[in-house]
């Protein structure tokens, strides 16, 4: 069974440029999460989807971050414009359902903003 | 909201020795406590979990204990091996409520051969 797939693995951009990350969750997993992990820290939730609905985006900086999961399967997280402080690893995770607490993570996208 | 503290931040042990990582949480409603292992360049991977209705759970060389009264839980790794070297994260979840996962800050474990 394929795990959570993320791309790209690495991204280097200059500040003020846009960037997008893509995630394909495990087949059949209805719940999808985007986390941000700063160096030496634990993951912090940005947004959680139940199918195509964003049920928790309270930690998403909406002035520059956006996300979508149009068909309730794969998802895209976008930053526009990127700032130096956005440098981090962006992790996607999925779980079978909202009541299933076991999260399966992708390998993440390491973003460097110069 | 929930706050999870994790100690130590780094831990070095000789191969074959035991390692213990401790976490405390603040929200008494939290009832599910997973532990994740993150190897370099990879996402966190669930290695063991415990629910609030049990005090201890064991899976081969790893075990987790929970003291609900004191609001702390610990990960125990026995007979450590070099491949145990990684960053370990604890987490706390209120499964019956909002189900937000709050992670600790991580412990970098180094097993010295």
């Amino acid at each position: 069974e394929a795990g959570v797939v993320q791309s790209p693995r690495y991204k280097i951009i200059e500040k003020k440029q846009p960037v997008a990350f893509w995630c394909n969750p495990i087949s059949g997993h209805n719940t999808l999460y985007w986390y941000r992990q700063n160096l030496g820290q634990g993951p912090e939730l940005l947004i959680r989807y139940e199918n195509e609905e964003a049920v928790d985006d309270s930690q998403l900086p909406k002035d520059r971050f956006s996300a979508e999961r149009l068909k309730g399967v794969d998802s895209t997280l976008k930053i526009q414009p990127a700032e130096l402080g956005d440098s981090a690893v962006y992790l996607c995770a999925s779980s079978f359902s909202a009541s299933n607490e076991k999260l399966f993570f992708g390998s993440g996208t390491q973003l460097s903003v110069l | 909201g929930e706050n999870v503290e994790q100690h130590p931040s780094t831990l070095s042990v000789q191969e074959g020795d035991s390692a213990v990582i401790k976490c405390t949480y603040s929200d008494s409603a939290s009832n599910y406590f997973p532990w994740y292992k993150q190897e370099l360049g990879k996402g966190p991977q669930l290695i063991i979990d415990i629910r609030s209705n049990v005090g201890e759970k064991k899976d081969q060389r790893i075990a987790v204990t929970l003291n609900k009264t004191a609001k702390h839980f610990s990960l125990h790794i026995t007979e450590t091996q070099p491949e145990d070297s990684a960053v370990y994260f604890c987490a706390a979840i209120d499964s019956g409520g909002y189900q937000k996962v709050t992670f600790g800050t991580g412990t970098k474990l180094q097993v010295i051969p």
Side-chain angles (χ1 to χ4, degrees):
Chain A
E1 177 184 284
V4 176
V5 179
Q6 289 188 249
S7 67
R9 287 285 285 120
Y10 306 93
K11 190 72 176 179
I12 301 174
I13 61 172
E14 294 186 346
K15 62 181 180 181
K16 300 185 182 180
Q17 293 299 305
V19 64
F21 315 121
W22 176 81
C23 172
N24 191 31
I26 292 174
S27 177
H29 280 197
N30 297 321
T31 307
L32 183 146
Y33 310 77
W34 282 104
Y35 283 87
R36 177 167 60 189
Q37 186 175 26
N38 293 313
L39 190 64
Q41 299 293 315
E44 295 179 330
L45 181 69
L46 291 173
I47 190 169
R48 182 178 80 169
Y49 280 94
E50 298 297 337
N51 298 301
E52 64 273 12
E53 181 182 1
V55 297
D56 182 5
D57 62 356
S58 58
Q59 301 301 312
L60 190 72
K62 298 181 184 63
D63 57 335
R64 298 183 299 106
F65 286 65
S66 64
E68 60 182 15
R69 192 185 185 199
L70 293 176
K71 297 182 179 179
V73 181
D74 56 349
S75 175
T76 302
L77 178 68
K78 298 178 181 178
I79 308 175
Q80 183 172 9
E83 297 179 353
L84 295 177
D86 295 331
S87 295
V89 175
Y90 290 83
L91 294 164
C92 178
S94 70
S95 64
F96 181 73
S97 68
S99 59
N100 190 320
E101 311 96 337
K102 298 182 190 294
L103 301 183
F104 294 83
F105 284 87
S107 295
T109 295
Q110 185 170 331
L111 174 67
S112 296
V113 182
L114 305 178
Chain B
E2 175 66 275
N3 181 48
V4 177
E5 295 188 356
Q6 183 172 346
H7 301 281
S9 57
T10 60
L11 179 61
S12 291
V13 299
Q14 291 292 136
E15 181 177 358
D17 287 349
S18 296
V20 180
I21 302 170
K22 299 181 179 181
C23 289
T24 60
Y25 62 99
S26 60
D27 189 351
S28 57
S30 291
N31 56 5
Y32 175 68
F33 307 93
W35 286 88
Y36 286 84
K37 175 183 181 182
Q38 186 172 26
E39 298 176 331
L40 194 62
K42 297 183 178 181
Q45 180 181 12
L46 179 68
I47 56 171
I48 194 168
D49 55 14
I50 191 169
R51 298 190 182 277
S52 58
N53 58 348
V54 298
E56 184 175 359
K57 183 177 179 180
K58 189 174 182 180
D59 183 4
Q60 298 182 3
R61 295 186 299 108
I62 59 174
V64 58
T65 59
L66 170 66
N67 184 326
K68 195 176 179 183
T69 302
K71 295 194 184 73
H72 66 72
F73 55 112
S74 301
L75 177 70
H76 305 253
I77 305 175
T78 59
E79 301 173 18
T80 54
Q81 302 169 2
E83 52 265 38
D84 295 329
S85 296
V87 179
Y88 291 81
F89 292 97
C90 62
I93 303 170
D94 172 11
S95 296
Y98 188 64
Q99 297 178 333
K100 181 177 179 179
V101 182
T102 302
F103 285 89
T105 51
T107 296
K108 184 176 182 180
L109 173 65
Q110 181 184 21
V111 179
I112 303 168

